[in-house]
Amino acid sequence: MIYINGTRIKVIEKLLNKETNSDYLIFEEKIIPFFHSPKLFHVNGFLKPPYLVLFWMVSIILIYSFLLCCLCFLIANTFFVSFSLFIFFFTTITLYQFYSINTVGVDLITKQNYKFAGLTQKGYSFAKKSPILFPILTIMFGILSFALLTLKDNSFFLNSDVAFPLLSLPTIYIGDLIFLPIIMYRIGKIFLQKFGFKYIKNHKVPIIIISLLSIAIGIFINLYTHKIWCLDKYDGFMDKGGVLTTAGWWHLVFSIVIMFFIVWLLIMNFYCTIKKFKKESNYCFNTWVIFVGFTALSIFDVLFRYHNFNSLNYSLSKYICAEWSSFLTFYLSVLSLIILFIIKKIRLKTLK
């Protein structure tokens, strides 16, 4: 109602200025937009109040949600996982609606107020879909869900009763928390904005083939890797006694979904480069560079194992050579990047 009332005042000011052929009423038309513009600071470090309000509202919501989960863990541990998932879900919906009202919501409210007043206003983008849900859902169903399940199974902290708890794997708690949401946000932009329905309609057959191939590759790779993890002699947050834990099964499903998007991105990258779609190719290429950084985190996973499980007293270089298979994803991602780089050089005649 505050947003609607503010927009209505703006319309009234515009109508009165139009009737009186003047520009006297400028509060909603000029003053408010000036102080609510995207610019963070004005002068001498004066932070605009809306940014402080945004920070505290989001912080309070997240802190309350976290404390509710902690209380459940302490006094009703049996319901901890299911309760926390519900809290995550409704917190995500709340934050998304808060984001929406300040983006597409404002545009929609303004457009309708102008329409009802008999005025016209161009430039609204409320029909443009936002990819913000991609990183939010990635964090919610990824690292946060893993944290819940591993806390429940006592495989979260470094002093847990398994060799590889969650906090021993930077690929998980750094990659899934920072790198992967950024990658998924950019992939979301590809799905929702870069190509659009018209593009998908015009390239329907190759996109369907690429999608089916991505699903098949994702399922095969993840079934194979999770089976290998179950067969090793070490227990971790994903497997105990050669059997996948609840977190392991969750990780399998999550990884298949993420792998679909990653493989889809790679194949689409090659497709756009070969077809000389310069803008889409450059965007996909830059996204793949971020993915290479994500896979490079496997180096830290190997360093952890070297520090804790080097029973043969190998030197670091020899141990890294012995663990070559742990870098397979990193090798393949770098190799793909090099090939893409060369193809871009040949096909697009640009490295931007």
Side-chain angles (χ1 to χ4, degrees):
M1 294 304 297
I2 292 174
Y3 282 85
I4 293 172
N5 186 60
T7 306
R8 183 58 184 162
I9 293 173
K10 181 178 179 180
V11 171
I12 292 174
E13 287 182 352
K14 198 171 187 68
L15 288 172
L16 289 175
N17 287 335
K18 182 178 179 181
E19 288 293 326
T20 58
N21 195 26
S22 65
D23 195 24
Y24 297 140
L25 302 176
I26 60 172
F27 182 75
E28 288 289 340
E29 184 72 24
K30 295 183 178 180
I31 296 177
I32 288 296
F34 175 77
F35 285 99
H36 285 260
S37 66
K39 187 178 179 181
L40 191 62
F41 293 100
H42 274 304
V43 293
N44 298 330
F46 167 58
L47 179 67
K48 293 183 180 180
Y51 287 98
L52 291 176
V53 173
L54 169 66
F55 172 77
W56 284 113
M57 286 185 67
V58 173
S59 298
I60 289 171
I61 290 174
L62 292 176
I63 290 171
Y64 281 172
S65 300
F66 175 76
L67 290 177
L68 284 172
C69 294
C70 289
L71 285 174
C72 185
F73 182 76
L74 294 174
I75 64 178
N77 191 267
T78 304
F79 305 101
F80 173 63
V81 173
S82 56
F83 175 81
S84 298
L85 288 175
F86 275 108
I87 291 294
F88 286 163
F89 175 76
F90 288 115
T91 300
T92 301
I93 293 298
T94 301
L95 292 178
Y96 181 71
Q97 291 304 317
F98 180 72
Y99 169 83
S100 297
I101 188 63
N102 286 281
T103 52
V104 293
V106 171
D107 288 342
L108 178 60
I109 291 170
T110 304
K111 178 181 182 298
Q112 291 302 318
N113 269 289
Y114 270 75
K115 179 181 178 181
F116 295 146
L119 301 171
T120 58
Q121 186 78 5
K122 298 180 180 180
Y124 294 103
S125 59
F126 61 89
K128 192 175 184 179
K129 295 179 176 60
S130 171
I132 192 66
L133 272 180
F134 278 72
I136 291 176
L137 294 176
T138 299
I139 294 174
M140 177 180 168
F141 290 106
I143 185 61
L144 290 181
S145 297
F146 298 148
L148 289 176
L149 294 171
T150 52
L151 282 170
K152 181 72 175 177
D153 293 340
N154 191 29
S155 56
F156 179 82
F157 296 103
L158 292 176
N159 59 353
S160 302
D161 57 359
V162 295
F164 292 103
L166 182 65
L167 290 183
S168 69
L169 300 171
T171 303
I172 300 292
Y173 65 83
I174 295 179
D176 287 16
L177 186 61
I178 299 175
F179 283 86
L180 201 54
I182 295 174
I183 295 169
M184 292 304 297
Y185 178 81
R186 293 179 65 87
I187 292 176
K189 289 188 72 173
I190 296 173
F191 267 91
L192 302 178
Q193 296 178 8
K194 291 291 180 180
F195 294 155
F197 293 110
K198 184 178 180 180
Y199 180 91
I200 294 175
K201 184 179 180 180
N202 294 335
H203 302 84
K204 183 165 56 177
V205 174
I207 287 179
I208 291 175
I209 294 174
I210 290 172
S211 299
L212 292 176
L213 185 61
S214 301
I215 293 173
I217 293 175
I219 292 175
F220 173 78
I221 291 178
N222 281 286
L223 286 176
Y224 176 76
T225 54
H226 283 72
K227 181 180 179 180
I228 293 297
W229 289 332
C230 289
L231 294 177
D232 64 25
K233 61 181 179 180
Y234 298 112
D235 287 341
F237 80 91
M238 286 189 290
D239 65 287
K240 291 183 179 180
V243 179
L244 287 177
T245 61
T246 305
W249 282 107
W250 189 283
H251 185 271
L252 173 62
V253 176
F254 178 78
S255 297
I256 289 174
V257 175
I258 295 298
M259 183 70 73
F260 161 75
F261 286 107
I262 297 298
V263 176
W264 186 90
L265 169 67
L266 177 61
I267 300 175
M268 188 60 69
N269 205 332
F270 281 107
Y271 177 75
C272 292
T273 304
I274 293 172
K275 289 291 185 178
K276 295 185 178 182
F277 301 145
K278 182 178 177 181
K279 184 178 179 181
E280 291 81 2
S281 175
N282 288 336
Y283 189 85
C284 290
F285 181 83
N286 293 333
T287 305
W288 192 256
V289 172
I290 300 174
F291 178 71
V292 172
F294 171 66
T295 60
L297 292 173
S298 59
I299 297 173
F300 297 98
D301 292 349
V302 172
L303 290 177
F304 176 85
R305 292 199 293 273
Y306 173 76
H307 181 266
N308 291 277
F309 302 105
N310 187 16
S311 58
L312 299 176
N313 295 319
Y314 284 155
S315 64
L316 179 58
S317 59
K318 188 175 181 179
Y319 187 82
I320 290 177
C321 291
E323 291 283 329
W324 68 270
S325 59
S326 299
F327 302 106
L328 188 58
T329 304
F330 179 56
Y331 298 151
L332 293 175
S333 63
V334 172
L335 179 61
S336 300
L337 184 68
I338 294 172
I339 296 174
L340 283 169
F341 185 87
I342 295 172
I343 295 177
K344 278 171 61 66
K345 179 74 173 179
I346 297 172
R347 298 290 293 176
L348 303 179
K349 306 297 183 183
T350 179
L351 299 178
K352 294 181 180 180

